[in-house]
């Protein structure tokens, strides 16, 4: 016995509903990735435009693991000590990771910090490296999610 048109429409409706849900999830993921990237960009932009530069001592590194199981790697955040223009002594972990081969502990580096929150600081060399490959990859991922999600969402919401 052959399936009639009622069953064919029911099957298509189920698939279009799943397509719409997957599309909506991808759009949300794309928007969240874009928002996160925009937030980080704002921090870099603010430090570049209104941050204060100071000579800081790099007293060590704080190690952290990033990535998934197959591509886990250790990154290093320098610990910076400096005195602000107002005379406040600050000891903070850099906002951005650096390659420890480029620096030695107890070395003097030029750092930039936020006047509103002096604990938000990083070496000037890290500030000038923005946007890096990771930022471009997140941006491309965000655009891809938005594009594919939009196409799937539109296809899922169209009437058969």
């Amino acid at each position: 016995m052959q399936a009639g048109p009622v069953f064919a429409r029911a099957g298509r409706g189920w698939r279009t509903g799943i397509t719409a849900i997957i599309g909506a999830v991808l759009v949300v993921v794309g928007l969240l990735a874009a928002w996160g990237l925009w937030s980080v960009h704002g921090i870099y932009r603010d430090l570049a435009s209104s941050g204060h530069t100071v000579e800081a001592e790099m007293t060590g590194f704080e190690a952290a693991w990033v990535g998934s199981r197959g591509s886990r790697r250790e990154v290093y955040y320098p610990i910076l000590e400096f005195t602000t223009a107002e005379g406040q002594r600050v000891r903070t972990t850099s906002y951005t990771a650096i390659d420890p081969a480029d620096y030695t502990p107890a070395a003097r580096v030029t750092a930039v910090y936020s006047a509103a929150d002096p604990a938000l600081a990083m070496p000037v060399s890290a500030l000038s490296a923005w946007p890096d490959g990771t930022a471009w990859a997140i941006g491309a991922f965000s655009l891809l999610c938005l594009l594919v999600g939009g196409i799937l969402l539109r296809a899922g919401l169209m009437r058969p």
Side-chain angles (χ1 to χ4, degrees):
M1 178 181 228
Q2 188 175 12
V6 172
F7 293 113
R9 273 188 266 132
R12 179 169 162 72
W14 179 81
R15 284 190 299 261
T16 57
I18 293 296
T19 302
I21 290 170
I22 292 171
V25 168
L26 284 174
V27 166
V28 169
V29 168
L31 289 172
L32 288 174
W35 174 78
L37 187 60
W38 185 254
S39 297
V40 171
H41 169 72
I43 291 170
Y44 277 85
R45 184 189 62 235
D46 291 346
L47 284 176
S49 65
S50 62
H52 297 285
T53 56
V54 66
E55 284 297 311
E57 182 179 354
M58 193 175 337
T59 58
F61 296 101
E62 186 176 302
W65 288 94
V66 296
S68 61
R69 276 187 265 175
S71 64
R72 271 184 84 98
R73 63 187 175 95
E74 196 169 22
V75 295
Y76 301 91
Y77 294 89
I79 299 171
L80 304 171
E81 288 188 16
F82 58 90
T83 304
T84 66
E86 292 78 26
Q88 177 186 1
R89 187 77 179 146
V90 177
R91 183 174 197 270
T92 186
T93 302
S94 173
Y95 180 76
T96 183
I98 62 169
D99 183 3
D102 295 341
Y103 302 94
T104 56
R108 305 281 305 165
V109 296
T110 303
V112 61
Y113 70 92
S114 169
D117 181 13
L120 180 59
M122 69 178 75
V124 171
S125 60
L127 182 64
S128 64
W130 176 263
D132 60 357
T134 303
W136 287 107
I138 292 171
F141 172 76
S142 174
L143 289 174
L144 181 66
C145 284
L146 289 170
L147 177 68
V148 172
I151 290 169
L152 290 176
L153 187 58
R154 185 167 188 258
L157 294 178
M158 289 180 60
R159 299 238 179 233

